[in-house]
Amino acid sequence: MEAPHTRPPTAEPGETVRLTVNSPEQMRELGRSLAKLLRPGDLVMLNGELGAGKTTLTRGLGEGLDVRGAVTSPTFVIARVHPALGDGPPLVHVDAYRLGGGLDEMEDLDLDVSLPDSVIVVEWGEGKVEELSEDRLHVAIDRATGETDDDVRQVRLTGIGERWRTADLAALAA
């Protein structure tokens, strides 16, 4: 018999690091730098409007984690697994945009099974995957809206849970 899902204890948010990113290449570089802080079992939740740079950041994460395959938006397949080419963890990239419910709707993806050995990145995951782990990194990306070709993004990284209390997110701002 399968054990029911239990909600992890509410974890307090840690320090928030704010960054300004001026181009898609800088967003990829941020992903490559962030990858150095990630380890198996990490859950990263990306939020931001369409075109904010969530997939670009994840592409940089994939490069930094040295995973196989081009990281592209998994919008229509919901999730893609990118196996590690070296000793690092695989990257599981999920796009929850089309999913309306919470974790129950995502159970078919078996994210809870993949989490201990992988880095899981979920675009549009807010309100849907928090129950996977009390330790998670929230990344919010804000951009100018309307008729603009402005590439400037404001990025907020907030570590939640014990795992992120000792992580040096401030080093990403250096």
Side-chain angles (χ1 to χ4, degrees):
M1 179 174 204
E2 193 172 314
H5 273 101
T6 57
R7 184 175 191 93
T10 302
E12 293 297 318
E15 179 181 4
T16 296
V17 173
R18 290 174 169 75
L19 306 165
T20 299
V21 174
N22 295 304
S23 68
E25 182 49 43
Q26 282 187 358
M27 188 66 78
R28 278 176 82 165
E29 182 56 39
L30 174 59
R32 288 189 289 267
S33 297
L34 178 57
K36 295 173 187 171
L37 298 177
L38 297 177
R39 61 186 188 207
D42 282 343
L43 172 63
V44 180
M45 297 172 50
L46 304 180
N47 291 292
E49 296 188 34
L50 288 170
K54 297 179 296 296
T55 300
T56 302
L57 178 73
T58 306
R59 194 168 293 126
L61 288 172
E63 292 167 6
L65 292 170
D66 191 26
V67 298
R68 187 175 70 214
V71 175
T72 59
S73 179
T75 299
F76 296 104
V77 296
I78 310 298
R80 283 197 172 96
V81 177
H82 297 274
L85 293 172
D87 295 334
L91 172 67
V92 179
H93 183 198
V94 179
D95 187 330
Y97 182 74
R98 297 186 184 282
L99 302 178
L103 188 60
D104 290 340
E105 188 173 343
M106 297 188 73
E107 276 187 348
D108 289 341
L109 299 177
D110 288 332
L111 295 179
D112 54 340
V113 173
S114 300
L115 185 60
D117 302 317
S118 305
V119 169
I120 296 182
V121 176
V122 182
E123 296 185 28
W124 305 95
E126 194 167 327
K128 298 174 183 171
V129 296
E130 289 89 343
E131 293 177 8
L132 281 174
S133 177
E134 66 183 61
D135 297 313
R136 56 197 176 272
L137 179 63
H138 286 240
V139 180
I141 305 171
D142 296 315
R143 67 175 181 92
T145 57
E147 298 279 331
T148 181
D149 58 359
D150 189 355
D151 284 335
V152 175
R153 306 293 193 257
Q154 300 301 318
V155 180
R156 292 182 321 275
L157 299 104
T158 305
I160 296 179
E162 193 60 37
R163 153 70 176 107
W164 294 101
R165 287 197 208 297
T166 57
D168 189 11
L169 291 174
L172 298 171

